[in-house]
Amino acid sequence: MTAATEKHLDEELRDVLQELSNVAMGRAADLLARLLENYVILPIPVVNLLERAELNMALSSLEEVKSVSAVCQGFVGSRIAGEALIIFNDTSFNDIAELTNFAGEITPQIELELLMDIANILIGACLKGLAEQLDVSFSQGQPVLLGQHLSLRDLVTDQAGNWQRALTIEIPYRLEGRNVDCDLLLLFTEDSLKVLEAKIEYMME
Amino acid sequence: MSIPVLICDDSSFARKQVQRAMPPDWDVEITFASNGEEALAAIKAGRGEVVFLDLTMPVMDGYQTLERIKEQDLPAMVIVISGDIQPEAVARVKRMGAIDFIKKPVDATSLKNVLAAYGLYTE
């Protein structure tokens, strides 16, 4: 397999990454469901190899959304590096506040706290789940606020980081019966892809 | 006589994981399906007395598949194998007729225990 030099992702590699993500996102969803006491609808994770200019394609589920808030957190370990982004549709915060029994006025500061709390849970659990299955370990950097009340276009243009091509895994979480949309996007550097390939080949033996 | 066993998951990696976790000396005839529609066709053709069913799948997901199996009263013992480990997911599939739930990634011991509990496999 030489996916790192090819434009398209090897089908077997894509299948395995999708399945590993499926298990990892399930664990993260379980924690979120317990926190909010609400069933989380699990999607099929979307795995892609994207050029920087195509990043908006990895966020297709938020295409129609007018205003978003986002947090990113870097991770590195076992020669794999990347960034995790949590992108919230801003209309989600009313329902999240209600589910966490928050009764006051929802100020940008409160939104930020809710955003950080949920980002911590989803990113932490998802990375841990992936790492365990791949038998690697990641250390996570500090979460950084990318912005509040941005358009998705501004978010993608301003904050896409210093990379040309990346392996992307998009996991759109939805809460059943609630108006909560949030996307977890994992970006892996091109160099990480070779390491992931080797790990996965080993797992398949 | 071999038991007709159906493994239904959209991921070929996941299907292989289930197959590898099955007791090596279990006398079965295995069929694979990659979504609920294919699974229903296989069950109707008598190829799924025991079904290992994933939940998150395109075309027809595991919940819809369980619904059809119940509606059409198809002869299948369904064991759900899923990454959706929310207690609500487990409760739902059991209400919908699944005999048991195994969380992903599936391992040989939990699979063997479930099979033994329903008399589907004895050492």
Side-chain angles (χ1 to χ4, degrees):
Chain A
M1 288 192 285
T2 52
T5 51
E6 309 243 335
K7 205 152 165 66
H8 298 287
L9 204 54
D10 176 85
E11 182 49 37
E12 189 183 38
L13 183 65
R14 198 198 55 75
D15 177 70
V16 176
L17 285 169
Q18 185 177 313
E19 181 60 17
L20 299 180
S21 308
N22 173 51
V23 170
M25 79 174 180
R27 292 187 193 170
D30 183 42
L31 295 179
L32 186 64
R34 286 168 200 266
L35 175 78
L36 301 177
E37 293 175 25
N38 200 106
Y39 184 67
V40 178
I41 301 169
L42 289 184
I44 297 173
V46 185
V47 181
N48 263 314
L49 192 58
L50 291 181
E51 302 287 333
R52 186 183 167 132
E54 300 169 317
L55 184 60
N56 59 325
M57 284 165 55
L59 298 167
S60 49
S61 71
L62 291 172
E63 222 168 39
E64 309 284 309
V65 171
K66 288 197 178 72
S67 160
V68 298
S69 298
V71 170
C72 89
Q73 191 168 19
F75 58 90
V76 62
S78 311
R79 293 185 296 130
I80 298 168
E83 285 204 356
L85 274 80
I86 289 278
I87 305 162
F88 265 91
N89 179 349
D90 282 329
T91 58
S92 309
F93 289 109
N94 283 329
D95 275 14
I96 294 174
E98 204 178 306
L99 289 166
T100 49
N101 299 316
F102 177 81
E105 190 198 346
I106 305 167
T107 61
Q109 181 58 34
I110 296 297
E111 286 187 358
L112 178 61
E113 281 172 28
L114 294 171
L115 177 64
M116 284 293 182
D117 283 352
I118 291 177
N120 267 330
I121 291 172
L122 290 182
I123 295 175
C126 216
L127 286 177
K128 189 160 175 275
L130 274 181
E132 269 177 30
Q133 295 177 85
L134 288 162
D135 194 23
V136 299
S137 59
F138 296 137
S139 46
Q140 291 163 231
Q142 286 296 317
V144 176
L145 177 68
L146 292 180
Q148 286 176 282
H149 313 144
L150 298 169
S151 73
L152 193 60
R153 178 186 295 268
D154 287 345
L155 176 78
V156 168
T157 327
D158 296 350
Q159 307 291 352
N162 185 24
W163 53 276
Q164 283 314 308
R165 193 153 41 142
L167 173 74
T168 61
I169 302 175
E170 186 204 10
I171 303 170
Y173 287 98
R174 302 283 173 271
L175 291 187
E176 188 174 63
R178 292 285 177 170
N179 178 27
V180 175
D181 294 322
C182 105
D183 257 33
L184 171 61
L185 182 70
L186 299 175
L187 299 169
F188 292 87
T189 61
E190 238 179 313
D191 290 341
S192 308
L193 193 53
K194 291 172 216 149
V195 184
L196 287 170
E197 275 177 352
K199 290 276 174 199
I200 285 167
E201 243 170 272
Y202 181 74
M203 282 174 68
M204 303 292 282
E205 274 168 16
Chain B
M1 219 181 71
S2 311
I3 306 174
V5 167
L6 175 68
I7 302 176
C8 179
D9 197 306
D10 56 320
S11 158
S12 74
F13 173 62
R15 294 194 294 270
K16 274 178 226 154
Q17 278 185 319
V18 176
Q19 188 181 11
R20 279 199 290 191
M22 290 179 0
D25 60 337
W26 194 28
D27 185 13
V28 292
E29 197 176 324
I30 301 172
T31 302
F32 295 103
S34 58
N35 61 57
E37 267 180 19
E38 290 177 22
L40 291 176
I43 295 167
K44 285 176 193 164
R47 308 193 62 86
E49 228 167 79
V50 176
V51 180
F52 297 114
L53 181 69
D54 180 30
L55 292 180
T56 325
M57 290 182 292
V59 187
M60 185 192 288
D61 70 18
Y63 292 110
Q64 293 169 305
T65 312
L66 281 167
E67 231 166 64
R68 300 290 167 81
I69 290 171
K70 204 170 189 179
E71 269 168 24
Q72 302 176 27
D73 198 20
L74 298 176
M77 295 177 81
V78 180
I79 297 162
V80 168
I81 300 184
S82 173
D84 188 350
I85 55 171
Q86 298 174 75
E88 177 60 23
V90 180
R92 265 182 213 190
V93 297
K94 288 194 176 161
R95 273 202 303 274
M96 294 176 81
I99 59 169
D100 219 322
F101 180 99
I102 302 173
K103 68 173 187 206
K104 283 184 173 179
V106 58
D107 68 278
T109 311
S110 30
L111 187 61
K112 192 173 75 182
N113 290 343
V114 168
L115 294 175
Y118 294 95
L120 294 165
Y121 171 76
T122 36
E123 269 178 275

